[in-house]
Amino acid sequence: MADDVIDADELDPGFKYEISKQPGGENLKLCFQCGTCSGTCPVRAINDKYNPRRIIRMALLGMRKEVLCSDFIWLCSTCYACHERCPQNVRIPELMFAIRNIALREGNIHPVYKGYVDALDGHGRLLEVGEFENEKRVKYGLPPIAEEKERVRKIFHHTRIKDRTDGKLKGGEACATEGSK
Ligand code: SF4
Ligand code: SF4
């Protein structure tokens, strides 16, 4: 498909219903495309690749592959500025999580999340807390922190997210041909 031409034969009319069934995606169809979210979004202000109104429009149209295989669904910083102003309570940050969850199941995850998953697997938290940090905590009257990676690994075992980010699960074939935009 040419970059700016939509091929109706490639649209998936069920995509909006698929998203609406995900936790956080329930209000997708309430959007009436006013653009307030895009006018509010600080990420959109510095990177026009990310445009929440446009992503919602693409999702409503059924541009499943283009949405799920793109980098831009990972750019929302979850600041909730749009949520405060959306007249339709679309709950855009939660909607982005819903779309990301579908993308993840399809094998598409932004590489930066592999770093997060590896850190959680290694330390049970996003930042390592070692002897140095604990000495500082004790000095300021705070209790030391122990790594709790076993608890996190149990979650990983059930969700298989690390297998996904390590490329050990099937998936992503649809995006492999589409490429990341
Ligand atoms: S502010 Fe709400 S209704 Fe307006 S375009 Fe964004 S999501 Fe849709
Ligand atoms: S929550 Fe996401 S979409 Fe909404 S304003 Fe913040 S960065 Fe933009």
Side-chain angles (χ1 to χ4, degrees), residues 3-181:
D3 277 353
D4 46 5
V5 177
I6 297 170
D7 183 345
D9 290 338
E10 290 188 9
L11 299 179
D12 177 354
F15 189 38
K16 55 181 172 291
Y17 302 110
E18 184 182 357
I19 296 172
S20 300
K21 283 186 200 150
Q22 299 294 315
E26 299 89 343
N27 291 354
L28 166 70
K29 297 196 293 307
L30 296 179
C31 174
F32 55 25
Q33 290 288 292
C34 68
T36 304
C37 50
S38 296
T40 305
C41 179
V43 176
R44 164 80 174 84
I46 58 166
N47 184 350
D48 63 9
K49 199 174 169 190
Y50 182 73
N51 181 327
R53 184 207 58 76
R54 187 170 62 202
I55 294 170
I56 292 168
R57 183 67 179 145
M58 291 171 73
L60 288 169
L61 280 172
M63 298 173 73
R64 189 175 194 281
K65 198 188 231 183
E66 289 82 354
V67 171
L68 297 183
C69 298
S70 291
D71 284 346
F72 54 55
I73 57 172
W74 304 95
L75 292 177
C76 172
S77 68
T78 331
C79 71
Y80 280 79
C82 57
H83 179 73
E84 297 293 326
R85 298 182 69 191
C86 172
Q88 290 292 89
N89 192 31
V90 173
R91 293 168 46 219
I92 301 148
E94 280 97 347
L95 173 63
M96 290 303 152
F97 282 127
I99 295 173
R100 289 172 186 177
N101 283 338
I102 299 173
L104 180 61
R105 284 202 293 275
E106 305 267 317
N108 180 34
I109 183 167
H110 194 280
V112 75
Y113 284 85
K114 175 166 167 44
Y116 292 158
V117 170
D118 288 348
L120 285 167
D121 183 57
H123 307 292
R125 59 186 70 244
L126 288 176
L127 295 172
E128 182 178 358
V129 179
E131 221 173 286
F132 175 80
E133 290 80 8
N134 273 329
E135 276 174 16
K136 291 275 180 203
R137 287 179 64 83
V138 171
K139 186 175 163 192
Y140 291 110
L142 298 168
I145 291 175
E147 290 189 341
E148 297 181 25
K149 53 192 169 196
E150 293 315 319
R151 282 171 51 181
V152 172
R153 283 177 181 171
K154 263 189 205 167
I155 297 170
F156 284 2
H157 176 73
H158 288 290
T159 61
R160 303 199 68 189
I161 188 168
K162 181 140 174 62
D163 288 341
R164 183 68 77 192
T165 57
D166 285 346
K168 290 181 183 163
L169 288 181
K170 279 192 182 293
E173 292 84 358
C175 291
T177 50
E178 178 70 11
S180 200
K181 290 180 179 167

